[in-house]
């Protein structure tokens, strides 16, 4: 007998995801005097935010006094190859300094200069030093600070809940269904507004900087099922430097701070090969260019025995390394017994960041479904075809706050609260139909998907690979109905795995069909059969589920035009063209 039993919780605003974006959104709601609760599926102290290690961008001009929000805007827009939403970029560039000051005042304890101002380091493709940091554990510092603030405000955080469905009636979101990840007990969460802060989908690649049970695309899946659109799903950032061994942690991030603090890349012939790919910026080039350079060196036989390239910072003093990148020093010592102050690291590209995501409006991060908002990596539009390091932490604070403000405004202005027994029953049935004896297990299919995405939709793609990968993904989707799912009062891991798999397959399909449509190479999207950037592809690709058939539809929209003043900034050579002099000086230090 299938269950239709649930408990009910009511709040003004429901936040799904207890990482940095979710916490910052919830704090804003609580400060406005409304009732808010946060749901998460992994421990609140260990959300994906902790992996954003190197720093957070804010154009203070504390180290390089010429810096301004305008330079930050131009760097972000240009390095996103013109696909990013100018309005979102402008908001982030203008507001990040205020949010960085705020989080530091709350206790993030960023590194300071002798004059008391925040220190700032170089990150790749930034014209000036604008990345504020706490060693190489900035995300952890920000997360802990937000958790303390949330605790002081008595914001309830339930990090044992898996959200299986958004509750929708007449294109209005009125809450969500979740189940407890240990007991499988179900809860209906009724709310005026819901904010999705669930991260991206980079765990669906074999080599990924994400950990188990995170970034499986569940936010995209929830949004698509609710009627939302996805934008730029082909734009998946492969970070240049992930660990290559041991196998069980292959892909684990080696922060860009290593290169920002002077790390150099070498192939197995001892050549500092970035000279061939970006002579001016070398290791401080954009992530997409360095990832392709690393990939090329490895694929053409100039890699290491473990399939990587060498990243070397041993020319710096050990004291400097321990002060600037202490976590990376420990990471290699504990996993490989490698002292990076004496020997080079081996690194290779790793799936790192989903630049696509839910299509939202720039000011309030509202989706096309009333009452549903999104912030952080799950939201699309900010980064375009390439994300600058340090922008993700700025994004979660700036747009987490804005989504919180927007949800408060929505909640206080609605005249009636939507409810639907039909939607609640459907949410139950969508769980019930998965619980059955079957011939397949979810975990092997998840591994098969990760291998498929790495081999057929990886760093470098072509039409033949993508079509074959799409066929494999659709075959796996057809196997879902035969997945074995059993639960008892102490264990519902099967149910979690099948929901993760379902979300992963849907987002994998959205990624591949978007990659097939974009017949060019631009930023993180590299195709060997279309090696050049094509101005005819100055568009954003949009994916949506067709209501009656539930099939995936793809369309395109022309990229948003720049306002005249912003266009003038981009054209101004003193701003629009990277100041290679400052970067060269830094490289010579």
């Amino acid at each position: 007998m299938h269950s239709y039993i649930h408990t009910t919780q009511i709040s003004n605003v429901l936040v799904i995801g207890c990482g940095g974006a979710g916490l910052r959104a919830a704090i804003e709601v609580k400060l406005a005097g409304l009732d808010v609760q946060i749901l998460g599926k992994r421990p609140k102290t260990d959300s994906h935010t902790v992996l954003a290690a190197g720093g957070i961008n804010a154009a203070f001009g504390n180290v390089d006094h010429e810096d301004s929000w305008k330079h930050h805007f131009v760097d972000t827009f240009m390095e996103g190859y013109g696909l990013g939403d100018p309005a979102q970029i402008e908001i982030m560039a203008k507001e990040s300094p205020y949010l960085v000051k705020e989080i530091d005042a709350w206790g993030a304890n960023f590194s300071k200069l002798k004059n008391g101002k925040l220190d700032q380091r170089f990150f790749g493709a930034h014209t000036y030093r604008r990345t504020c940091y706490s060693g190489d554990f900035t995300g952890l510092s920000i997360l802990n600070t937000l958790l303390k603030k949330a605790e002081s405000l008595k914001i309830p955080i339930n990090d044992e809940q898996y959200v299986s469905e958004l509750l929708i009636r007449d294109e209005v979101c009125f809450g969500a269904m979740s189940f407890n990840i240990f007991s499988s007990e179900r809860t209906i969460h009724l709310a005026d507004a819901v904010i999705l802060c669930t991260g991206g989908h980079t765990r669906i690649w074999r080599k990924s900087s994400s950990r188990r049970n995170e970034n499986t695309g569940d936010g995209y899946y929830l949004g698509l099922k609710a009627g939302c659109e996805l934008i730029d799903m082909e734009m998946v950032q492969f970070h240049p430097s992930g660990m290559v061994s041991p196998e069980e942690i292959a892909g684990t991030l080696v922060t860009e701070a290593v290169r920002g603090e002077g790390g150099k890349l070498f192939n197995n012939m001892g050549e500092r090969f970035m000279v061939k790919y970006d002579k001016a910026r070398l290791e401080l080039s954009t992530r997409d260019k360095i990832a392709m350079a690393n990939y090329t060196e490895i694929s053409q036989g100039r890699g290491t025995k473990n399939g990587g390239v060498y990243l070397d910072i041993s020319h710096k003093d050990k004291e400097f390394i321990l002060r600037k990148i202490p976590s990376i020093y420990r990471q290699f010592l504990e996993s490989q017994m490698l002292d990076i102050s004496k020997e080079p690291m081996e690194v290779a590209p790793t799936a790192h960041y989903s630049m696509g995501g839910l299509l939202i409006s720039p000011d309030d991060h509202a989706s096309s479904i009333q009452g549903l908002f999104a912030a952080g990596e799950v939201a699309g539009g900010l980064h375009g075809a390439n994300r600058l390091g340090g922008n993700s932490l700025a994004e979660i604070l700036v747009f987490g706050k804005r989504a919180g403000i927007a949800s408060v405004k929505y909640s206080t202005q609605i005249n009636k609260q939507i409810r639907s027994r039909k939607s609640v029953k459907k949410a139950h049935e969508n769980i019930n139909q998965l619980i059955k004896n079957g011939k397949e297990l979810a975990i092997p299919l998840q591994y098969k998907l990760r291998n498929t995405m790495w081999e057929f939709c990886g760093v470098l793609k072509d039409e033949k690979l993508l079509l074959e990968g799409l066929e494999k993904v659709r075959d796996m989707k057809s196997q879902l109905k035969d997945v074995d799912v059993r639960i008892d009062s102490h264990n519902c891991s099967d149910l979690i795995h099948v929901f993760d798999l379902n979300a992963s397959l849907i987002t994998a399909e959205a990624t591949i069909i978007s990659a097939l449509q974009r017949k060019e190479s631009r930023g993180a999207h590299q195709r060997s059969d279309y090696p050049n950037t094509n101005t005819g592809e100055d568009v954003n690709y949009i994916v949506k589920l067709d209501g009656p058939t539930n099939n995936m539809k793809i369309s395109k929209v022309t990229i948003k035009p720049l306002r005249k003043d912003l266009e003038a900034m981009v054209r101004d050579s003193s701003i629009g063209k990277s100041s290679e002099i400052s970067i060269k000086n830094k490289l010579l230090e």
Side-chain angles (χ1 to χ4, degrees):
M1 184 78 178
H2 284 314
S3 173
Y4 288 89
I5 300 171
H6 64 260
T7 57
T8 302
Q9 293 187 355
I10 302 173
S11 58
N12 296 114
V13 179
L14 175 68
V15 177
I16 301 172
C18 54
L23 288 165
R24 188 61 190 83
I27 287 167
E28 203 61 30
V29 174
K30 189 69 173 182
L31 289 173
L34 269 64
D35 189 27
V36 61
Q37 68 166 321
I38 304 174
L39 304 179
K41 67 173 186 176
R42 60 179 298 120
K44 62 186 178 183
T45 56
D46 191 36
S47 67
H48 190 64
T49 305
V50 303
L51 296 186
I56 180 170
N57 295 331
F60 290 117
N62 292 343
V63 179
D64 296 323
H65 304 306
E66 307 93 330
D67 199 16
S68 69
W69 77 265
K70 294 180 179 180
H71 290 92
H72 191 184
F73 172 90
V74 173
D75 285 349
T76 301
F77 180 77
M78 295 294 286
E79 300 306 340
Y81 294 81
L83 293 189
D85 181 346
Q88 281 196 64
I89 299 170
E90 182 179 5
I91 289 167
M92 181 197 64
K94 284 182 173 178
E95 296 183 5
S96 61
Y98 302 100
L99 274 295
V100 169
K101 277 186 178 178
E102 176 186 73
I103 197 75
D104 185 61
W106 287 355
N109 193 28
F110 296 135
S111 293
K112 307 293 193 302
L113 298 165
K114 289 181 180 179
N115 62 11
K117 293 182 177 180
L118 299 181
D119 193 9
Q120 298 188 278
R121 64 173 32 142
F122 256 122
F123 256 29
H126 289 269
T127 304
Y128 298 111
R129 284 170 279 194
R130 69 168 63 97
T131 306
C132 306
Y133 61 95
S134 296
D136 59 353
F137 48 88
T138 311
L140 178 62
S141 177
I142 288 173
L143 181 72
N144 287 339
T145 302
L146 290 170
L147 284 168
K148 287 177 183 175
K149 185 71 173 178
E151 185 179 1
S152 73
L153 294 170
K154 296 182 169 56
I155 296 173
I157 304 173
N158 190 336
D159 56 1
E160 297 178 354
Q161 295 293 314
Y162 194 109
V163 175
S164 61
E165 189 123 2
L166 297 175
L167 300 175
I168 308 293
R169 177 183 170 183
D170 299 330
E171 297 188 343
V172 177
C173 183
F174 65 91
M177 162 80 87
S178 73
F179 59 87
N180 185 284
I181 61 174
F182 299 110
S183 68
S184 77
E185 293 175 358
R186 302 176 192 180
T187 304
I188 291 294
H189 306 269
L190 301 176
D192 301 333
V194 175
I195 308 176
L196 280 173
C197 303
T198 51
H201 71 316
T202 49
R203 183 59 185 169
I204 71 174
W205 279 265
R206 185 174 74 235
K207 294 181 182 179
S208 169
S209 60
S210 301
R211 286 87 51 94
R212 289 180 63 187
N213 302 325
E214 67 181 11
N215 285 342
T216 52
D218 36 328
Y220 303 147
Y221 173 65
L222 289 171
L224 274 176
K225 283 209 307 177
C228 298
E229 302 85 19
L230 299 178
I231 184 172
D232 296 339
M233 286 301 289
E234 74 277 17
M235 294 301 175
V236 178
Q237 183 170 72
F238 290 85
H239 196 287
S241 52
M243 296 182 73
V244 297
S245 66
E247 178 61 32
E248 59 269 21
I249 61 169
T252 299
L253 187 66
V254 179
T255 173
E256 187 164 323
V258 176
R259 285 182 285 113
E261 296 296 350
K264 301 174 183 177
L265 289 164
F266 297 93
N267 59 24
N268 63 14
M269 300 165 67
E271 297 171 332
R272 192 177 177 187
F273 57 82
M274 280 309 299
V275 173
K276 296 185 292 185
Y277 301 94
D278 192 337
K279 191 174 182 180
R281 297 183 292 190
L282 299 172
E283 287 84 7
L284 292 179
S285 183
T286 57
R287 286 183 173 180
D288 59 302
K289 288 185 178 178
I290 299 178
M292 271 303 297
N294 290 357
Y295 177 85
T296 302
E297 292 297 308
I298 295 163
S299 63
Q300 292 183 359
R302 295 184 293 277
T304 67
K305 62 180 181 180
N306 291 314
V309 292
Y310 293 111
L311 175 59
D312 192 8
I313 199 165
S314 63
H315 53 282
K316 294 286 188 178
D317 293 336
K318 187 172 183 177
E319 181 185 349
F320 174 91
I321 292 170
L322 291 174
R323 186 172 77 254
K324 295 289 189 177
I325 48 171
S327 299
I328 291 296
Y329 181 84
R330 290 177 64 98
Q331 184 172 306
F332 276 89
L333 204 60
E334 291 172 357
S335 63
Q336 298 179 5
M337 286 303 291
L338 180 78
D339 185 343
I340 66 171
S341 70
K342 297 177 181 177
E343 298 177 74
M345 301 157 260
E346 289 182 69
V347 298
T350 180
H352 180 58
Y353 197 89
S354 309
M355 290 168 295
L358 292 171
L359 180 62
I360 45 83
S361 56
D363 290 339
D364 57 9
H365 270 225
S367 73
S368 58
I369 299 299
Q370 284 187 59
L372 180 61
F373 304 83
E377 193 173 353
V378 74
L382 176 65
H383 305 290
N386 182 49
R387 181 176 70 83
L388 289 184
N391 273 354
S392 62
L393 288 176
E395 175 185 20
I396 63 173
L397 295 183
V398 169
F399 294 110
K401 177 177 180 176
R402 276 185 167 258
I405 292 170
S407 68
V408 168
K409 184 179 179 181
Y410 180 84
S411 175
T412 54
Q413 289 183 353
I414 59 173
N415 294 318
K416 61 180 180 179
Q417 292 168 316
I418 298 291
R419 301 289 184 261
S420 168
R421 287 193 180 92
K422 183 179 178 182
S423 295
V424 171
K425 184 181 179 184
K426 179 187 172 189
H428 274 295
E429 289 175 348
N430 285 342
I431 295 176
N432 292 341
Q433 68 182 3
L434 293 171
I435 303 169
K436 60 184 179 302
N437 296 344
K439 299 176 183 177
E440 303 283 352
L441 293 176
I443 291 292
L445 285 172
Q446 189 74 270
Y447 277 102
K448 184 178 178 181
L449 174 63
R450 295 179 68 207
N451 284 324
T452 297
M453 292 302 288
W454 187 259
E455 291 170 23
F456 298 96
C457 189
V459 179
L460 186 63
K461 314 161 186 68
D462 63 39
E463 184 172 14
K464 183 174 179 293
L465 285 172
L466 290 167
L467 286 172
E468 191 172 345
L470 182 61
E471 185 179 353
K472 289 177 180 293
V473 168
R474 287 174 173 167
D475 283 346
M476 281 182 265
K477 278 179 70 178
S478 69
Q479 293 176 274
L480 270 174
K481 62 181 182 294
D482 292 323
V483 170
D484 189 78
V485 177
R486 309 183 194 198
I487 60 173
D488 57 42
S489 58
H490 307 292
N491 182 9
C492 63
S493 59
D494 282 356
L495 191 59
I496 294 168
H497 293 322
V498 78
F499 267 108
D500 277 347
L501 176 61
N502 205 350
S504 297
L505 287 167
I506 292 289
T507 52
E509 184 175 6
T511 301
I512 294 176
I513 66 171
S514 299
L516 276 164
Q517 287 294 313
R518 184 170 291 282
K519 293 176 171 59
E520 65 164 351
S521 290
R522 184 188 299 240
H525 174 74
Q526 294 293 315
R527 287 189 55 165
S528 59
D529 50 348
Y530 294 97
N532 300 317
T533 302
N534 177 7
T535 55
E537 291 280 13
D538 288 348
V539 298
N540 298 109
Y541 285 99
I542 310 292
V543 172
K544 186 174 184 177
L545 290 182
D546 179 55
T549 65
N550 231 20
N551 290 329
M552 210 167 280
K553 298 192 303 183
I554 188 161
S555 59
K556 62 183 176 182
V557 293
T558 305
I559 58 174
K560 294 183 179 179
L562 284 169
R563 262 194 346 254
K564 287 187 177 180
D565 59 320
L566 297 177
E567 187 177 7
M569 280 165 39
V570 171
R571 286 179 176 174
D572 182 351
S573 60
S574 66
I575 294 177
K577 187 180 179 186
S578 290
S579 175
E580 295 177 356
I581 297 173
S582 60
I583 293 177
K584 283 180 178 176
N585 288 340
K586 176 67 177 175
L587 290 167
L588 291 171
E589 288 179 7

